[in-house]
Amino acid sequence: MIKPAALKTQVSSGGVIFRRHDDSIEVAMVAVKGGNVWCLPKGIIDKGEVPEKTAIREVAEETGLKGTIIEKLGEITYWYYIKEENTKCRKTVHFFLMKYEGGDVSNHDWEVDEALWFPIDEALKKASYKGEKEMIKKAEEILIKTH
Ligand code: ATP
C-alpha cells in the first residue's frame, strides 16, 4: 500500500537587497541547483526570531552582503514535496526591501553556487520563480519613486 504523504509547513524570510550604481538600481541574487536556478536570498526563521532578523542574517550569510531593512515587500507561498520524508510542505516566505550597507558577493555562502549583483530589470528576467519576480517588481516600483 502506498502511504499517503504527510503535510507540514515552513516559514522563511529573505530580502531584495539593492544598491544604486551610476543611474541604475542593482539587486543581489543567488544561484542554486548547480547554478541553474536564480533566486532571492532567504532562509528558515528560527524559533522565536522575528522575520526581519532572519532576513538580515540570511542575506548576509548567503550573499556576503550587509543590509538594513527599508520596508516589507510581502509574502509568497508555494508547495513542494520532500521525497525522503514523503511529505508535502506548504512554504511561506516573507520578503523585505533592504538597502546595501557593505560587504562583497565574493564572500557568499558555500551553500549557494554563486551570488551576483544584477541591474534590476535583468534580475526580473533572471529570477526563476514567479513569486520572487513579483517581489523584485514591487521593489522596483518603490525604488523608482524613492530611496
Ligand atoms: P530555505 O532557503 O528557506 O532554507 P530551502 O533551500 O531548503 O529553503 P526552498 O528554496 O524552499 O528550500 O526549495 C524547496 C523546493 O521548492 C525546491 O524544489 C525549489 O525548487 C522549490 N521552490 C523554491 N522557491 C520557490 C518558489 N518561490 N516558488 C515555487 N517553488 C519554489
Side-chain angles (χ1 to χ4, degrees):
M1 259 240 305
I2 298 167
K3 212 169 154 221
L7 300 177
K8 76 172 183 184
T9 58
Q10 270 180 354
V11 187
S12 281
S13 184
V16 178
I17 185 166
F18 74 94
R19 69 178 181 188
R20 295 199 184 265
H21 197 254
D22 298 327
D23 274 346
S24 83
I25 299 161
E26 293 183 333
V27 304
M29 298 186 77
V30 295
V32 295
K33 303 198 184 201
N36 295 312
V37 170
W38 283 92
C39 51
L40 292 168
K42 63 160 173 58
I44 300 275
I45 300 179
D46 287 342
K47 215 171 171 199
E49 192 175 47
V50 293
E52 286 84 350
K53 192 172 172 209
T54 313
I56 290 169
R57 175 168 52 75
E58 290 290 342
V59 166
E61 278 176 19
E62 290 196 347
T63 67
L65 306 174
K66 185 184 174 325
T68 47
I69 291 188
I70 303 285
E71 63 178 90
K72 176 128 192 221
L73 291 168
E75 293 163 19
I76 64 170
T77 298
Y78 52 91
W79 284 89
Y80 73 100
Y81 179 66
I82 307 168
K83 207 175 167 188
E84 313 80 65
E85 299 175 20
N86 186 29
T87 297
K88 281 184 193 166
C89 182
R90 181 184 193 269
K91 184 146 183 175
T92 300
V93 190
H94 300 257
F95 278 107
F96 295 89
L97 179 62
M98 288 170 58
K99 187 174 192 299
Y100 168 67
E101 303 289 353
D104 199 292
V105 286
S106 62
N107 292 323
H108 72 76
D109 195 337
W110 60 268
E111 282 187 27
V112 302
D113 299 304
E114 202 167 9
L116 284 179
W117 287 106
F118 291 100
I120 199 159
D121 283 339
E122 233 176 274
L124 255 176
K125 286 186 215 147
K126 202 96 188 160
S128 300
Y129 302 115
K130 184 169 160 275
E132 294 197 354
K133 277 186 199 288
E134 283 165 13
M135 292 298 118
I136 299 167
K137 186 80 205 143
K138 206 161 168 197
E140 186 176 38
E141 283 163 13
I142 295 166
L143 291 170
I144 282 169
K145 287 186 228 150
T146 52
H147 308 294

